[in-house]
Amino acid sequence: MESHVLNYSSPLYGRRTGQIRLKQIPFSEYRAFFDGRKRNYIAFYAASGGVPRYILEIVDYTDVMKAVADNVLNPNSFLYEEPIFLLESELKEMGHISPSSRPSLLETTSLDTLSEHSAFNNRKLSNTFRL
């Protein structure tokens, strides 16, 4: 969307006044967000990835699973569309994902399910997600 809205032919070209590209917060500085409150910092860091805006959404929770349920899995939450957005960004060649298939993609850990709802075959996904 950013490329369409801000490209030269767009009526909004040149109207962006500024932006801040924040990097992820290093784990060594992560505890500062919690004001000394004891948490499972590794689990919370894994859930937020050190992304400042994500941290702000989960910082008041004591249970990371509750934080994820309320802020990622809830269709009315700020972060609900984020996993799909990130997946689409990573896999730019991915075809359109229908809104009806989004809930199943949010819960999947299977490349078969992902392949079923995208333009990629399993082999291509396996190569993409190879660690």
Side-chain angles (χ1 to χ4, degrees):
M1 184 170 125
E2 182 180 4
S3 62
H4 293 302
V5 172
L6 299 175
N7 73 22
Y8 185 74
S9 63
S10 167
L12 296 177
Y13 178 76
R15 294 186 188 238
R16 177 168 56 180
T17 57
Q19 74 180 30
I20 299 173
R21 293 206 183 255
L22 296 176
K23 295 181 180 178
Q24 82 181 60
I25 305 299
F27 183 73
S28 60
E29 298 174 22
Y30 193 67
R31 289 180 186 207
F33 283 89
F34 292 90
D35 297 325
R37 293 173 281 182
K38 296 221 182 243
R39 300 285 188 279
N40 180 346
Y41 296 112
I42 293 173
F44 275 86
Y45 192 80
S48 70
V51 176
R53 183 63 175 117
Y54 300 174
I55 297 168
L56 293 176
E57 294 296 319
I58 67 170
V59 72
D60 293 326
Y61 286 83
T62 55
D63 177 24
V64 71
M65 297 305 285
K66 174 82 169 129
V68 169
D70 289 354
N71 293 289
V72 179
L73 301 178
N74 177 353
N76 298 316
S77 69
F78 176 74
L79 297 175
Y80 181 71
E81 294 284 327
E82 201 65 7
I84 297 295
F85 173 75
L86 293 173
L87 185 59
E88 287 174 343
S89 296
E90 287 296 318
L91 305 171
K92 291 180 195 263
E93 298 171 31
M94 184 178 228
H96 174 72
I97 298 174
S98 69
S100 62
S101 66
R102 288 180 179 206
S104 63
L105 290 177
L106 288 172
E107 297 171 6
T108 190
T109 57
S110 160
L111 290 181
D112 288 334
T113 304
L114 186 57
S115 175
E116 207 174 283
H117 296 287
S118 72
F120 284 129
N121 62 35
N122 276 356
R123 184 168 181 230
K124 197 166 194 178
L125 285 171
S126 299
N127 290 338
T128 301
F129 290 109
R130 184 178 35 205
L131 297 177

